């Protein structure tokens, strides 16, 4: 009864503040007299005290001071008083329909203004149904599959009360030492942009007010993926040209796809921390790109400006961040504590505060929270939608599409389901806890299908599956290697599951050694010495140094971290129920000394194209290493299939085009192998002469298509002058006339080549 009374009071207050009933939509006015959303927001701001305004910018984590989730199984009153006082705009990493509804009721029924709460979370690659890590799904080069995965993540998250997702991470990374490479789409701005758009579309759907969609947050703005030394949170320093050509495009793509929010990054950029960087937030984001959404800081990144050393204290940091355009302070209390005093002392104009509050309230209106604060806290939908059978089926499909076959010497794969005895060996072979991977807070460890279980489920009744752990993940104890060797000797074929655990990559997961961790390489060598055929199944959240495996193991699958259906998806590929189609979104180096290594590098004045086998006594004054080839172990775009695909020569619609014309480039691709299969046909361009130097190749398009055994399909790309544009000597973004090379093929290195001219 008490809550009903509060509800009536809230309705009356909201109607008086907003000029319409709470049932009315926040959309533009209609003939019935509804007020436009912006008028409703301005009326509400006009009723707020400075303290209440600041409260709308204050975002707290749940009960624990960490970046993990808080799962509420009982009702807590820890935040009740803060919510009643209007000192919280919302909470993040809490979930549960019943709990979020209880907190929401306090906000709308017991606070003075009745402003609903946001509930945020890091739903990076699925909620309870866990999908492959983002680097893995990017390896699918399948935008439809990626969008579908994020749609399911949104359905499950919103059923549990979550309205605001801290994803997608779109940071370009060319340094596999950086642990958060796992959360992005790899090294290329074009592929990264396509993935960013697909993920935003998946999270946000057609309308934010749909109860099964949530606000996406493009992060981390900007250039967080380029820290010096590959060390997380470290300094980033680069030219504006590199920033604009390589690192900014995926953020822009996510915004163009409609992303409602942006998150700032921890790093400084050219001497200014991102959370106080007006060049990024005011000039580029708001000014050039016209972004109208809300900007949130990363965890305490406003406060951390003091440690960076560009401000003397938190008050200066708060003022600088707010003026630069950071609307919401995550977990820092910088705004809550400092802004009222700064305004009272005349050191900060209230207009900056109002602008931030306006952006936060608009997000809440767009989510439909003012019309129905409880639309995202549905216990019935929570019970039905989470880990639904059809969701797990999609997770399995996305996972197998994400697997990249790096090597298959002698066609060892696919394995025969009636192969006799299969040994499954490795510390990750029957490991439930690490299958979900980094940033999978909401996925329970007991659910994922292990590789051992997936293989056991797939084989025929006459096949025996045996297993051994072989070694531990976190120590150098060799006691288990002997047993693994014994198990391998009694098998007809060995599947070795090795790689990184969930905590070996992700945030604060940088590594200076990117080989197999611990003594796993020693385990691999011991098993290989048995002479049994070995398939290496490698889990990782980054490109790794797999040089020894490439030299000594017949078949290698890069499976990344696949989530809920890990074992089933891997078994689908191992036994040929699914023909692998993944392609690398990152370059794999021969060793860490080549890092950073990426396909779209530039030539030097002394490019080296010689034979590495030349006598080492000959000193060649070219840009080369004396102890390893310049080329990568596996190039960007590489990925094998159980089929083989033959490319015709490239056909061009013209050898010269004008700036207002379109060039058509086509190839015929024939499946000459024994299986139906999918191929990712990749288009690259090289501008041979520019006012500033240009990369040796740049990805400009790709198409993934199914080609049946013996079938030929024609693939056509269209190229315009906009596709050829870059930041010229005067920093204008435009194409320049001249000669271009055009490449189409199955990877950045395996291509056919042609050429054309662009003229005025």
């Amino acid at each position: 009864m008490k809550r009903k009374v509060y509800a009536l009071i809230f309705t009356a207050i909201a109607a008086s503040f907003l000029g319409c009933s709470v049932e009315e939509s926040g959309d533009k006015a209609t003939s019935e007299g509804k007020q436009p959303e912006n008028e409703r927001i301005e009326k509400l701001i006009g009723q707020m005290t400075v303290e209440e305004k600041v409260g709308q910018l204050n975002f707290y984590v749940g009960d624990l001071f960490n970046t993990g989730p808080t799962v509420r199984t009982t009702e807590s009153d820890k935040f009740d008083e803060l919510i009643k006082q209007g000192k919280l705009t919302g909470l993040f990493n809490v979930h549960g329909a019943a709990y979020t509804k209880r907190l929401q009721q306090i906000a709308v029924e017991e606070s003075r203004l009745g402003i609903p709460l946001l509930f945020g979370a890091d739903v990076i690659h699925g909620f309870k149904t866990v999908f492959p890590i983002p680097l893995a799904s990017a390896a699918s080069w399948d935008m439809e599959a990626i969008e579908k995965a994020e749609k399911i993540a949104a359905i499950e998250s919103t059923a549990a009360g979550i309205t605001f997702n801290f994803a997608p991470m779109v940071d370009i990374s060319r340094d596999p030492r950086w642990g958060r490479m796992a959360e992005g789409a790899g090294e290329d701005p074009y592929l990264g942009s396509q993935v960013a758009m697909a993920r935003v579309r998946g999270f946000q759907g057609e309308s934010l007010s749909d109860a099964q969609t949530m606000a996406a947050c493009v992060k981390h703005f900007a250039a967080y993926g380029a820290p010096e030394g590959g060390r997380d949170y470290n300094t980033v320093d680069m030219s504006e040209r590199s920033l604009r050509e390589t690192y900014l495009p995926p953020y822009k793509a996510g915004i163009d796809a409609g992303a409602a929010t942006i998150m700032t990054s921890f790093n400084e950029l050219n001497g200014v921390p991102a959370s106080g960087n007006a060049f990024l937030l005011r000039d580029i984001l708001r000014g050039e790109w016209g972004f109208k959404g809300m900007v949130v800081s990363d965890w305490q990144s406003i406060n951390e400006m003091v440690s960076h050393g560009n401000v003397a204290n938190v008050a200066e940091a708060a003022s600088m961040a707010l003026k630069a355009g950071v609307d919401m302070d995550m977990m820092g209390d910088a705004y809550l504590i400092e802004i009222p005093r700064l305004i009272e002392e005349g050191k900060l104009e209230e207009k900056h505060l109002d602008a931030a509050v306006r952006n936060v309230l608009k997000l809440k209106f767009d989510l439909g929270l003012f019309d129905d604060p409880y639309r995202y806290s549905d216990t019935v939908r929570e019970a039905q939608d989470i880990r639904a059978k059809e969701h797990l089926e999609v997770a399995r499909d996305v996972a197998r599409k994400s697997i990249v076959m790096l090597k298959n010497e002698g066609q060892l794969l696919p394995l025969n389901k009636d192969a006799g005895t299969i040994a499954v060996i490795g510390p990750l072979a029957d490991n439930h806890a690490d299958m979900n991977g980094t940033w999978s807070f909401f996925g329970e460890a007991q659910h994922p299908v292990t590789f051992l279980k997936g293989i056991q489920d797939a084989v025929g009744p006459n096949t025996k599956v045996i297993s051994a752990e072989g070694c531990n993940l976190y120590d150098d104890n060799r006691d288990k290697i002997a047993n693994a060797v014994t198990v391998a000797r009694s098998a007809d074929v060995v599947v070795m599951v090795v790689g990184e655990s969930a905590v070996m990559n992700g945030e604060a997961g940088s590594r200076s050694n990117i080989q197999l961790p611990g003594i796993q390489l020693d385990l691999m060598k011991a098993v290989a010495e048995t002479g049994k055929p070995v398939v290496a199944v490698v889990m990782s959240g980054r490109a790794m140094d797999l040089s020894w495996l490439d030299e000594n193991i017949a078949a290698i699958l890069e499976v990344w971290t696949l989530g809920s259906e890990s074992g089933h998806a891997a078994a689908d590929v191992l036994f040929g129920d699914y023909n692998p189609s993944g392609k690398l979104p990152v370059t794999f180096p021969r060793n860490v000394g080549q890092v950073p290594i990426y396909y779209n590098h530039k030539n030097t004045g002394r490019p080296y194209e010689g034979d590495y086998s030349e006598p080492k006594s000959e000193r060649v004054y070219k840009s080369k290493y004396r102890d390893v080839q310049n080329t990568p172990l596996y190039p960007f775009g590489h990925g094998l299939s159980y089929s083989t695909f033959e490319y015709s020569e490239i056909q061009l619609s013209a050898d010269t085009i004008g700036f207002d014309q379109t060039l058509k480039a086509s190839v015929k691709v024939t499946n000459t192998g024994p299986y139906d299969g999918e191929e990712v046909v990749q288009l690259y361009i090289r501008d041979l002469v520019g006012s500033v130097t240009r990369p040796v190749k740049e990805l400009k398009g790709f198409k993934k298509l199914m080609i049946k055994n013996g079938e030929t399909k024609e693939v056509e790309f269209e190229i315009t002058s906009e596709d050829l544009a870059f930041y010229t000597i005067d920093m204008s973004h435009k194409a320049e006339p001249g000669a271009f090379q055009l490449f189409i093929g199955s990877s950045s290195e395996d291509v056919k080549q042609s050429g054309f001219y662009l003229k005025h």
Side-chain angles (χ1 to χ4, degrees), residues 137-160:
S137 60
S140 74
W141 294 55
D142 190 324
M143 301 306 108
E144 183 178 344
I146 292 171
E147 184 173 341
K148 186 180 295 185
E150 306 305 20
K151 181 177 181 180
I152 289 172
I155 289 171
E156 292 194 357
S157 300
T158 53

Side-chain angles (χ1 to χ4, degrees), residues 613-751:
S613 64
E614 68 187 4
K616 300 300 183 291
S617 60
E618 295 183 12
R619 186 179 297 275
V620 179
Y621 292 95
K622 298 287 187 178
S623 179
K624 63 182 279 290
Y625 298 104
R626 289 187 62 82
D627 58 346
V628 69
Q629 297 178 57
N630 284 9
T631 58
L633 183 64
Y634 304 116
F636 175 86
H638 170 73
L640 303 177
S641 167
Y642 296 145
S643 299
T644 52
F645 297 98
E646 182 177 295
Y647 284 69
S648 72
E649 296 302 317
I650 299 171
Q651 298 296 315
L652 299 180
S653 61
D655 58 11
T656 302
I657 61 169
F659 274 70
D660 59 348
Q661 294 177 312
T662 297
L663 176 71
K664 294 182 179 180
S666 63
V667 293
K668 292 181 179 179
V669 184
T670 303
N671 183 342
T672 58
Y675 300 88
D676 297 346
E678 294 170 284
E679 172 70 338
V680 180
V681 182
Q682 303 162 40
L683 167 72
Y684 297 88
I685 294 289
R686 181 178 183 184
D687 188 342
L688 289 173
V689 179
S691 58
V692 294
T693 57
R694 306 306 304 138
V696 296
K697 285 188 183 80
E698 294 179 272
L699 182 69
K700 292 296 182 179
F702 60 87
K703 294 183 180 181
K704 186 170 188 176
L705 61 157
M706 170 61 74
I707 308 177
K708 294 181 179 179
N709 172 29
E711 182 182 17
T712 297
K713 285 190 175 181
E714 185 171 3
V715 182
E716 184 177 270
F717 295 96
E718 293 186 348
I719 299 99
T720 68
S721 60
E722 181 60 30
D723 298 314
L724 309 176
F726 64 99
Y727 285 92
T728 61
I729 190 69
D730 62 357
M731 289 303 292
S732 299
H733 189 259
K734 61 186 179 184
E736 293 179 338
F740 291 81
Q741 290 177 332
L742 183 148
F743 311 88
I744 300 177
S746 62
S747 77
S748 59
E749 290 190 356
D750 184 8
V751 292

Side-chain angles (χ1 to χ4, degrees), residues 275-276 300-307 310-324 329 332-349 352:
S275 291
Q300 293 186 341
S301 65
I302 295 173
N303 307 62
E304 290 176 10
M305 289 165 62
V306 178
S307 295
N310 70 310
V311 292
N313 51 54
V314 175
E316 289 184 10
S319 179
M320 187 175 186
L322 191 66
K323 290 178 180 178
D329 176 13
D333 274 343
Y335 284 0
L336 188 71
I337 294 172
E338 302 294 346
I339 286 178
R341 180 176 58 80
L342 290 170
I343 290 175
E344 183 180 358
E345 294 175 356
K347 296 178 180 178
L348 181 68
E349 294 181 81
H352 298 297

Side-chain angles (χ1 to χ4, degrees), residues 251-520:
Y251 305 110
K252 178 64 161 54
I255 290 168
D256 289 345
T261 71
I262 286 277
M263 182 183 290
T264 62
S265 53
F266 286 118
N267 58 281
E268 69 167 60
L269 178 65
N270 300 338
V272 182
S275 291
N277 197 313
F279 171 67
L280 286 175
L281 299 174
R282 291 288 184 201
D283 297 350
I284 295 178
L285 182 64
R286 301 285 189 191
E288 294 179 25
W289 297 354
F291 180 65
K292 304 298 184 184
M294 191 271 289
V295 176
V296 60
S297 78
D298 207 337
W299 180 285
Q300 293 186 341
S301 65
I302 295 173
N303 307 62
E304 290 176 10
M305 289 165 62
V306 178
S307 295
H308 278 288
N310 70 310
V311 292
N313 51 54
V314 175
E316 289 184 10
S319 179
M320 187 175 186
L322 191 66
K323 290 178 180 178
V326 179
D327 300 315
M328 185 180 288
D329 176 13
M330 180 192 290
M331 251 340 266
D333 274 343
Y335 284 0
L336 188 71
I337 294 172
E338 302 294 346
I339 286 178
R341 180 176 58 80
L342 290 170
I343 290 175
E344 183 180 358
E345 294 175 356
K347 296 178 180 178
L348 181 68
E349 294 181 81
E350 195 168 345
K351 68 178 183 180
H352 298 297
L353 176 58
D354 288 349
V357 174
R358 191 172 292 116
N359 291 331
V360 173
L361 292 178
K362 184 179 186 304
L363 176 62
K364 293 182 178 184
F365 270 102
D366 290 347
L367 286 165
L369 292 170
F370 278 94
D371 302 313
D372 180 5
Y374 312 119
R375 68 174 62 201
Y376 298 95
S377 299
D378 187 335
T379 55
V380 174
R381 191 159 73 84
E382 184 177 33
Q384 294 174 345
D385 288 351
I386 289 178
R387 282 186 59 82
K389 179 182 177 181
E390 58 270 26
H391 295 178
L392 293 170
E393 290 173 353
V394 174
R396 181 172 181 166
D397 186 54
V398 177
R400 62 191 184 182
K401 287 177 176 176
S402 302
I403 295 172
V404 181
M405 186 161 68
L406 298 175
K407 182 182 178 184
N408 191 23
E409 188 176 272
Q411 286 70 56
L412 176 58
L413 293 174
L415 299 177
N416 189 334
K417 291 184 180 180
D418 297 310
T421 300
I422 300 174
V424 186
I425 296 172
L428 293 166
D430 194 30
N431 179 318
H432 284 275
D434 289 302
M435 295 301 99
N436 284 335
T438 183
W439 286 106
S440 56
F441 292 136
F442 305 103
E444 294 91 349
Q446 73 270 21
H447 288 310
V449 179
T450 68
F451 294 100
L452 176 61
K453 182 66 165 63
I455 291 171
Q456 289 171 333
D457 289 348
V459 297
N462 298 321
T463 297
K464 184 179 181 181
V465 180
I466 55 180
S467 66
E469 189 176 19
C471 67
N472 300 324
L473 283 168
Y474 302 110
D475 61 48
D476 295 335
N477 188 313
R478 299 174 181 273
D479 294 347
K480 299 178 181 180
I481 292 180
N483 179 58
V485 170
T486 300
V487 169
R489 285 186 177 134
S490 62
D492 296 295
V493 65
V494 180
V495 177
M496 295 286 297
V497 187
V498 293
E500 297 182 314
S501 70
V503 299
M504 289 177 180
N505 53 66
E507 186 170 357
S510 299
R511 297 180 59 209
S512 64
N513 180 346
I514 55 173
Q515 293 180 324
L516 293 176
I519 60 169
Q520 292 183 73

